[in-house]
Amino acid sequence: VPAGQPSRASIDLRPTRVPRWTCSLGGVIDVPLEVDGPRILVSSRSGQLVSLDATSGRRLWTKKIGGLRGTYLSRAVRQDRAVYIVVADGRVLKLSLDGGQQIWNRDLGAMLTDAPLFDPSDDILVVAAADGRLFGLSAHRGGVRWTVEERERTDWVQAVPGGTLCTGPRSIRRLGHKSEANRKPWRHSLTDEVTGRPLVSNGWVYVPCADGTLMTINLDTGNFGVPTRLGALALVGVTRADTRLLVTDAEGTVFALDARTNAPLWTTALAEPMSSAVTHHNGTVYAGTGRGSLLALDVVSGKVRWQCLLNGPVQTSPMVVGKLCLVATRTGTLYAVSLEEPATDVSTGLSGR
């Protein structure tokens, strides 16, 4: 279903919001934040995991994770009173949520990719390696309970009913649990590269691809649905907003589609590069751009409500915590922008239709 090409117009916007607080953490921040009530967990490429108070930005604790083979950290995953984090060099750590103290450290001897996935049914952490292996670790003690040898690299691991969804550069597969014999596993090799984390919603998997196509796959059967071609640029993110799908491409175009039919509803060209999905909250869509902007759009019309200028490019999706929108930049700064300030219409120069 072609969505058409939005017109491209120059943008001359003055910022209409200023941050309530900022916190400089040092190192590139390019993985999503983790939220635990009023607490935020932020990973950076400097090898730091920082816990912050969301209301004030005050640091609660900092854990420095060093190593000779690099300290690229995944998104932190909270479970009960613990935090689990993957280091690209092969380590998986369990830390105390309250103070960041190390509980256990397991070196798997392989380059690791995505954040760990917690399976509460078996008290298992699922961890993906670049060579295609999947590890199941005891969340309690960190021991390896099982290993699955996969042929394809896994970049994203997601929990789905009765199993795990694993996505690589050109492959996607659903691995079933033994307890779910009625749900058979499936796998597909894809002709085009996957360029964003798939969205699982209402029994379907939505896969953003490099050729501008949003692929759809039935989660239970693995059968393909009708693909939606949105343009020639790589799609970088897809999220659900009630009855809409919101899809972003690498040039900063946001497409709103009917979630039942994939029919186009509106298209807004932000004319700033993007590398992640937008975030929806209470009728507003929040988008972080590669030129250092946080923009708020109306979910019904696509019209831009306000803008906040940042000190560097944004590579991860914004996150709403209470009455604040949090967004991190690759320059290592975390911003908290209030959602309560009066908004000014700044949509001149943007196409929303």
Side-chain angles (χ1 to χ4, degrees), residues 17 20-21 37 54-55 281-282 286 306 319-326 336-341:
R17 294 284 171 96
R20 174 168 292 183
W21 57 258
T55 304
H281 180 75
N282 283 352
Y286 300 96
W306 53 260
M319 179 172 287
V320 174
V321 181
K323 297 178 181 179
L324 297 173
C325 182
L326 303 177
V337 181
S338 174
L339 306 183
E340 295 185 309
E341 297 176 18

Side-chain angles (χ1 to χ4, degrees), residues 156-172:
W156 295 287
V157 183
Q158 295 165 268
V160 295
T164 305
L165 189 71
C166 301
T167 308
R170 291 182 182 268
S171 67
I172 186 167

Side-chain angles (χ1 to χ4, degrees), residues 13 16-17 254 266 268 270 274 278-289 293-309 318 320 325 337-339 341-347 350:
L13 302 179
T16 59
R17 294 284 171 96
V254 184
W266 52 259
T268 296
L270 302 179
M274 293 180 64
V278 297
T279 297
H280 171 252
H281 180 75
N282 283 352
T284 301
V285 179
Y286 300 96
T289 75
S293 296
L294 173 65
L295 293 136
L297 290 72
D298 181 83
V299 74
V300 176
S301 66
K303 201 171 189 179
V304 176
R305 291 178 170 173
W306 53 260
Q307 180 192 41
C308 179
L309 294 183
V320 174
C325 182
V337 181
S338 174
L339 306 183
E341 297 176 18
T344 301
D345 181 7
V346 295
S347 58
L350 299 181

Side-chain angles (χ1 to χ4, degrees), residues 21-27 29 311-312 327-335:
W21 57 258
T22 65
C23 182
S24 180
L25 301 175
I29 302 174
N311 73 346
V327 62
T329 67
R330 286 183 58 85
T331 54
T333 303
L334 181 65
Y335 291 81

Side-chain angles (χ1 to χ4, degrees), residues 202-287:
N202 285 5
W204 289 91
V205 183
Y206 300 90
V207 186
C209 295
D211 66 349
T213 299
L214 182 68
M215 298 181 59
T216 57
I217 304 173
N218 185 283
L219 179 61
D220 280 339
T221 66
N223 295 334
F224 284 98
V226 178
T228 303
R229 185 65 183 267
L230 295 173
L233 297 171
L235 303 180
V236 297
V238 55
T239 191
R240 182 75 181 251
D242 300 324
T243 60
R244 299 170 177 82
L245 294 174
L246 301 173
V247 188
T248 50
D249 73 12
E251 200 169 280
T253 304
V254 184
F255 304 89
L257 310 177
D258 185 296
R260 294 180 297 106
T261 65
N262 283 13
L265 299 175
W266 52 259
T267 302
T268 296
L270 302 179
E272 297 192 24
M274 293 180 64
S275 57
S276 62
V278 297
T279 297
H280 171 252
H281 180 75
N282 283 352
T284 301
V285 179
Y286 300 96

